[in-house]
Amino acid sequence: MGRRRAAAWDHEGTPSLVRGALRPVSPIPSAAASTRIRPAATPQELLRNFCIIAHIDHGKSTLADRMLQLTGVVDDRAMRAQYLDRMDIERERGITIKSQAVRMPWEVAGTPYALNMIDTPGHVDFTYEVSRSLAACEGAVLLVDAAQGIEAQTLANLYLALENDLAIIPVLNKIDLPAAQPDKYAEELAHLIGVEPEECLRVSGKTGAGVAELLDRIVAQVPAPHGEPAAAARAVIFDAVYDTYRGVVTYVRVVDGHLDPRERIVMMSTRATHELLEIGVISPELTPTSGLAAGEVGYLITGVKDVRHSKVGDTVTNAGKPATRALAGYRDPKPMVFSGLYPIDGSDYPNLRDALDKLKLNDAALNYEPETSVALGFGFRVGFLGLLHLEIVRERLEREFGLDLISTAPNVEYDVTMEDRTEVRVTNPSEFPSGKIKEVREPVVRATILAPSEFVGTVMELCQGRRGDLQGMDYLSADRVELRYRLPLAEIVFDFFDALKSRTKGYASLDYEAAGEQAADLVKVDLLLQGETVDAFSAIVHKDKAYAYGVAITAKLKELIPRQQFEVPVQAAIGARVIARETIRAVRKDVLAKCYGGDITRKRKLLEKQKEGKKRMKTIGRVEVPQEAFIAALSSDASSSAAADKDKTKK
């Protein structure tokens, strides 16, 4: 491809070449210097928009680090691991949660190109972030760990890229590892995409080997963006974040025309108009420019403080010369898992509401609504994309806003049809209607499981025990198999992944996507304390598992609730039928302590008197369940933490 050198831009807008040591392309500009920053009108044929997609922990962020260094955007002194991961929680867990866009210069055969790269998350819970990133690109680097091979999310992301008609560049990463088997997995990857094994690039994000060749391949194979430079401006919003001082920062991909600073723009879905205070590119910090032309990726700042005015998927156009037709947007993310979030201190409820409002500015997939519980007080019913999403949101609320929270056990959304044809949408077991029910429909998912062939039997046994329906099975190679199952979402949101990992010695990987609804024989199990229903402990379970759930929850509460002055029955019931019972024995005073021998009738009289008192107390007594018991019985900490810890290592 000729001699490669990292291209930079000076402040007057002419390209220059960085020779010798790598250094940043330009210092981070101040607002006063924004007029002197290079113009952004790069010719379309010199633009390349691409993203990196892979399974979690296959080295996307590390490869992005090497690209930033090699292109001179970040110098060695400023470099740190996972440079594009901005949140502390991302760096601690070693996972990417938010997609990050960055512009990099690269020169091939004397021609300076501008590469717009988007580093995407790899976890199944953040597939929505990946889908938005793919819509802003023309090409994708499909990254596979040379020591682990193709995994479930690798396939899922590949299918997403193919649906968007992107150019796919297959890459094997981590070839420097002693356990790497690049030849074996190159054949798997080539067979999957339909290319020759020699066409799979081999790189090391850690050492930088092969990264320059990868950048050359991107320039050669990823097509330049298409668009009409002279048409009315149209730009699609693919992300938005909230900055405390500057308001909403909107990330856009310009499709047609151009956007300039200080012009008035219109959001085509809401018809809201704003003045464009600043426009620029991310390189990798926000760098103001003199405008964005067709095909470019950058950011807009209008000073608006409400992120709802920058709806993801909306089309931005010029207010003076508006476009007539909006661009195709994205579907809103549909929550898969619901959980209640309650402050342990009831006075923190307003703080929790404000914290959720602010967090939604940076997380478009977060949905919530107020709810009350007799046991836990005021809180919110929050919709998440999965268990890891739940864990991340809760941890951010506790860290960034100083809240102490309890999260109830995760559950899914059900459609209940009554005998009189009325339909009820249930996101909380306490909303489950009483009366004659004709049908209950539950969400189902298409699950893809990749595992070594020796574990096929155990994986099938697990899925069938969770009411799974086998849809197909393919051998990717002699020792790796792909199983496709149709599973109820309620069966996999709690501990399915933990069970899958333990049965396959940690080698299996899981991916799933929504696949509609199905009718199921579901019942609501209520928990009664001394005959009174406690709404917080209610659960919707399959009829075959109702008895096991009832026995487990009554036994757990027997240990957690302190003994009272009277005997307390703890019962699990379906409607009026009790299916499990435990009894909390009464605390008894030793009324015979003062009797030193003598007639037995004296002792019997004292015992009968105590018995009568206990009976009267039971009729008027009320069981007080301490907050600690609710937290221990309802909290999903153990399960969700275990799932998240395993997710960050292998899934």
Side-chain angles (χ1 to χ4, degrees), residues 298-313:
Y299 72 92
L300 312 174
I301 295 178
T302 59
V304 174
K305 296 291 184 182
D306 189 350
V307 79
R308 285 170 293 188
H309 291 167
S310 295
K311 189 176 178 182
V312 170

Side-chain angles (χ1 to χ4, degrees), residues 5 16 22 140-141 180 183 243 252 290 302-303 360 381 384 390 425 435-436 514 542-543 607:
R5 287 178 290 186
S16 60
L22 298 176
V141 173
D183 294 335
D243 184 281
V252 297
S290 60
T302 59
K360 186 169 174 62
R381 169 72 29 177
F384 304 95
L390 185 159
R425 199 88 169 154
K436 292 187 176 181
H542 193 266
K543 195 173 183 179
L607 290 172

Side-chain angles (χ1 to χ4, degrees), residues 9 11-14 36-42 103 289-291 296:
W9 296 83
H11 288 283
E12 302 304 320
T14 55
R36 301 183 63 244
I37 300 303
R38 66 168 181 83
T42 304
R103 185 186 181 105
T289 66
S290 60
E296 292 199 302

Side-chain angles (χ1 to χ4, degrees), residues 3-177:
R3 190 176 179 186
R4 294 181 300 269
R5 287 178 290 186
W9 296 83
D10 62 25
H11 288 283
E12 302 304 320
T14 55
S16 60
L17 296 178
V18 180
R19 302 179 187 272
L22 298 176
R23 61 177 176 83
V25 176
S26 62
I28 300 171
S30 63
S34 60
T35 55
R36 301 183 63 244
I37 300 303
R38 66 168 181 83
T42 304
Q44 281 192 38
E45 61 272 12
L46 301 181
L47 288 173
R48 298 293 184 270
N49 300 323
F50 72 99
C51 61
I52 306 176
I53 55 176
H55 192 85
I56 194 168
D57 200 32
H58 278 210
K60 297 178 299 299
S61 297
T62 308
L63 178 62
D65 289 347
R66 298 292 80 74
M67 288 183 174
L68 293 177
Q69 279 187 292
L70 193 61
T71 56
V73 172
V74 180
D75 65 5
D76 293 336
R77 183 179 60 182
M79 193 64 206
R80 65 176 190 273
Q82 296 172 257
Y83 189 88
L84 294 178
D85 291 342
R86 304 301 172 92
M87 288 186 280
D88 291 339
I89 194 168
E90 288 181 310
R91 307 181 65 76
E92 287 173 15
R93 289 175 176 259
I95 59 176
T96 300
I97 296 169
K98 286 285 290 180
S99 297
Q100 296 290 344
V102 63
R103 185 186 181 105
M104 304 178 297
W106 186 247
E107 182 177 290
V108 177
T111 305
Y113 291 88
L115 310 181
N116 289 311
M117 176 189 69
I118 302 179
D119 179 25
T120 64
H123 194 279
V124 60
D125 283 10
F126 305 109
T127 302
Y128 179 64
E129 290 275 336
V130 179
S131 66
R132 289 171 6 200
S133 303
L134 293 172
C137 299
E138 282 79 33
V141 173
L142 181 66
L143 205 62
V144 172
D145 189 330
Q148 298 182 56
I150 296 167
E151 298 199 56
Q153 198 64 23
T154 313
L155 294 175
N157 287 331
L158 172 62
Y159 297 150
L160 279 175
L162 292 174
E163 286 175 12
N164 284 269
D165 199 25
L166 302 188
I168 309 294
I169 300 176
V171 177
L172 286 170
N173 193 22
K174 303 187 183 181
I175 58 170
D176 58 301
L177 292 180

Side-chain angles (χ1 to χ4, degrees), residues 54-60 93-95 122-124 145 147-154 174 185 388 450-452 455 480 497-498 500-502 504-511 642-651:
H55 192 85
I56 194 168
D57 200 32
H58 278 210
K60 297 178 299 299
R93 289 175 176 259
I95 59 176
H123 194 279
V124 60
D145 189 330
Q148 298 182 56
I150 296 167
E151 298 199 56
Q153 198 64 23
T154 313
K174 303 187 183 181
Y185 294 125
L388 182 65
L450 266 68
F455 298 114
R480 285 170 66 81
F497 188 64
D498 286 347
L500 179 67
K501 284 292 184 183
S502 63
T504 59
K505 300 181 181 178
Y507 286 108
S509 60
L510 169 73
D511 175 69
D645 288 342
K646 287 182 178 287
D647 284 343
K648 72 179 181 181
T649 58
K650 283 285 287 178
K651 187 177 175 186

